[in-house]
Amino acid sequence: MNTCGIIAEYNPFHNGHRYQLQEAREQTQADVMVVVMSGNFLQRGEPAIIDKWRRAEEALSQGADLVVELPVQWSLQSADYFAKGGVELLHALHCNSLSFGTDHSADFDYSSFGCFTTTHQKEIDEAYQKYDDPTLTYAQKMAAVLANDDPAFARLKEQPNHVLGLTYAKENARFEQAMDIYPVERKKVNHHSAELAGKIASATAIRQAVLEKRNVKNVVPVKTAKDLTDYQVSWENYWPFLRYKILASSLAELREIYQMVEGLEYRLKSKIRQASNFEEYVQLVKSKRYTRARIQRLFCYCLLNLKDTDVKKAWRNNYLHILGFTQKGQQYLQQEKKTISWPIISKVGQTEEEKMALGIQSDNIYQMVNAKIKEQNFGQFPIRV
């Protein structure tokens, strides 16, 4: 079967995502649309507005054939590691092509870019090391490096989906049999647009509208609209737990948290008593050197107690946790499972618990803030649509 893969968060699934699935299927003539979807904690350092099972079912009802979880050790990362994890999962699933949304022109040659970075990685790394300005983020430094080859790269920091597309292309090019790349140009709104008009809106605008109790039925499928009326979570729900964690932990304990570098534990400790809510804490801790997304990811690592050694160990424990499939998706799994080298997990039991330890730990914490969030792993079977 011809398979096309997508790496997504679906926070929440909306009409723009449905459009991408339709366009990707048409462009690639795929028999099966495979989605590697983030679990309950996301790339920019925030909890998903609704849980992974509801988001997976929304995707399956709107064009996806197989949804596999992107584990927390990859989903809660900067763009380069997020892309690495997603692309590795799609390759493990034997996908023929890769599609993603882009806020750049869809005729940009991502495949050539991927090949260029792979063959010139040493020179790129050396050029990157010359940018010693501590106020510049990784993305800003990399944009400056790449702009020497193409001035268009100077706009990277303004085009988050284009940045992800470039990292997908770079990771894909590392494989001997790289997937064919099919970008889909985003329609009407950009990634962070707060506008809520017409039939397509950004996930940012939809989340904001939901939290403000505004109607989003015009911009999301019926299933998503129904799920969003049942419950929603945001960082504010987890603020008391984060505050407790920072206050109760010693500096030595905080130092063990993943990505707690350059004395950040002192900054987190010194600011926690000044903040009365999550947003105040973000504003107190972030700086020119540490972006909001970087700080929010660090807060997630603290909340979930993700230690440096645990995350790096989890990178070596690869698996495919199946969240759901259509009949075609199930047929594809049956066809390929004998040649897929990674463990395929369709039910979590004692055998799988150790391999999925970080994910289970994170999901248990995700569940704490709302009784409507069901058990996320044990006793759950793939959704059939």
Side-chain angles (χ1 to χ4, degrees):
M1 293 184 187
N2 181 24
T3 53
C4 175
I6 288 175
I7 303 165
E9 293 187 317
Y10 296 154
N11 187 40
F13 189 96
H14 56 65
N15 292 345
H17 296 136
R18 178 171 59 192
Y19 168 79
Q20 185 204 354
L21 279 165
Q22 292 170 344
E23 284 293 302
R25 189 186 291 274
E26 184 174 337
Q27 287 182 20
T28 63
Q29 293 297 296
D31 301 302
V32 178
M33 293 299 301
V34 176
V35 176
V36 167
M37 188 192 77
S38 297
N40 288 322
F41 288 90
L42 310 177
Q43 197 259 331
R44 291 185 60 80
E46 56 193 359
I49 192 169
I50 48 181
D51 72 71
K52 62 188 181 185
W53 295 98
R54 292 179 185 240
R55 286 155 42 232
E57 188 170 6
E58 291 161 9
L60 290 165
S61 69
Q62 298 296 322
D65 291 303
L66 174 63
V67 180
V68 180
E69 181 178 5
L70 181 63
V72 67
Q73 61 264 28
W74 297 114
S75 70
L76 191 52
Q77 291 281 4
S78 58
D80 49 348
Y81 281 94
F82 178 87
K84 178 179 174 63
V87 169
E88 284 188 357
L89 260 72
L90 290 179
H91 273 277
L93 287 161
H94 302 164
C95 288
N96 306 115
S97 55
L98 165 65
S99 179
F100 50 82
T102 178
D103 28 30
H104 200 71
S105 172
D107 60 5
F108 179 87
D109 194 339
Y110 286 95
S111 295
S112 292
F113 171 83
C115 293
F116 173 83
T117 56
T118 300
T119 56
H120 294 81
Q121 193 62 59
K122 183 179 179 181
E123 297 95 313
I124 292 172
D125 290 343
E126 289 174 352
Y128 178 84
Q129 293 302 321
K130 294 178 181 178
Y131 284 87
D132 57 357
D133 185 346
T135 65
L136 294 179
T137 66
Y138 169 84
Q140 290 169 332
K141 290 180 183 179
M142 192 55 67
V145 170
L146 296 174
N148 293 327
D149 297 292
D150 186 342
F153 292 130
R155 300 195 301 273
L156 288 185
K157 59 182 179 293
E158 301 167 6
Q159 299 178 316
N161 281 290
H162 183 43
V163 173
L164 269 178
L166 295 172
T167 54
Y168 293 153
K170 181 180 73 172
E171 292 302 325
N172 182 49
R174 297 182 191 278
F175 287 83
E176 186 175 345
Q177 290 187 317
M179 294 177 285
D180 296 326
I181 292 180
Y182 292 86
V184 175
E185 194 166 349
R186 290 173 64 89
K187 296 294 182 183
K188 298 184 184 294
V189 294
N190 65 41
H191 181 77
H192 292 306
S193 173
E195 182 183 356
L196 198 66
K199 294 292 184 182
I200 294 181
S202 71
T204 301
I206 294 168
R207 290 194 301 274
Q208 181 177 327
V210 168
L211 295 174
E212 294 171 355
K213 309 299 182 184
R214 289 189 281 137
N215 193 324
V216 297
K217 289 183 178 179
N218 287 339
V219 292
V220 298
V222 173
K223 176 72 170 65
T224 302
K226 182 179 182 301
D227 287 341
L228 289 170
T229 60
D230 198 12
Y231 79 87
Q232 322 94 36
V233 300
S234 70
W235 247 121
E236 287 299 339
N237 298 105
Y238 297 90
W239 163 243
F241 301 103
L242 174 66
R243 189 169 188 271
Y244 172 81
K245 171 66 178 179
I246 302 299
L247 287 170
S249 299
S250 67
L251 289 170
E253 288 169 333
L254 288 177
R255 209 169 289 129
E256 293 181 358
I257 297 296
Y258 179 63
Q259 291 290 297
M260 191 71 73
V261 296
E262 300 172 337
L264 274 170
E265 67 273 18
Y266 293 97
R267 189 171 181 85
L268 266 60
K269 270 285 197 183
S270 67
K271 302 296 184 182
I272 190 66
R273 293 183 182 276
Q274 301 174 38
S276 59
N277 57 52
F278 177 76
E279 184 58 34
E280 282 186 17
Y281 194 43
V282 172
Q283 295 303 321
L284 287 167
V285 176
K286 77 181 185 71
S287 64
K288 287 185 178 179
R289 184 179 182 85
Y290 302 112
T291 65
R292 183 187 183 99
R294 168 76 171 82
I295 290 301
Q296 287 193 171
R297 282 194 293 270
L298 184 60
F299 290 168
C300 279
Y301 303 145
C302 291
L303 173 72
L304 305 176
N305 198 35
L306 300 187
K307 298 179 181 178
D308 187 81
T309 52
D310 295 334
V311 172
K312 290 175 179 176
K313 178 182 176 182
W315 287 343
R316 300 189 294 272
N317 281 334
N318 296 313
Y319 59 86
L320 301 168
H321 183 208
I322 311 301
L323 296 179
F325 40 60
T326 63
Q327 186 175 359
K328 276 188 178 180
Q330 186 176 20
Q331 288 173 350
Y332 180 72
L333 270 183
Q334 290 292 330
Q335 171 187 299
E336 298 294 318
K337 68 180 183 180
K338 290 182 179 179
T339 56
I340 290 175
S341 59
W342 291 14
I344 298 174
I345 299 175
S346 56
K347 180 185 177 182
V348 180
Q350 289 184 340
T351 305
E352 296 78 21
E353 187 173 0
E354 183 177 355
K355 187 173 283 293
M356 296 178 62
L358 284 194
I360 292 171
Q361 174 179 309
S362 301
D363 287 345
N364 287 342
I365 294 170
Y366 179 82
Q367 285 178 250
M368 289 194 306
V369 300
N370 196 304
K372 291 184 177 180
I373 303 176
K374 67 180 182 179
E375 163 59 43
Q376 293 293 287
N377 295 290
F378 295 102
Q380 297 297 332
F381 293 90
I383 297 164
R384 297 169 184 264
V385 174

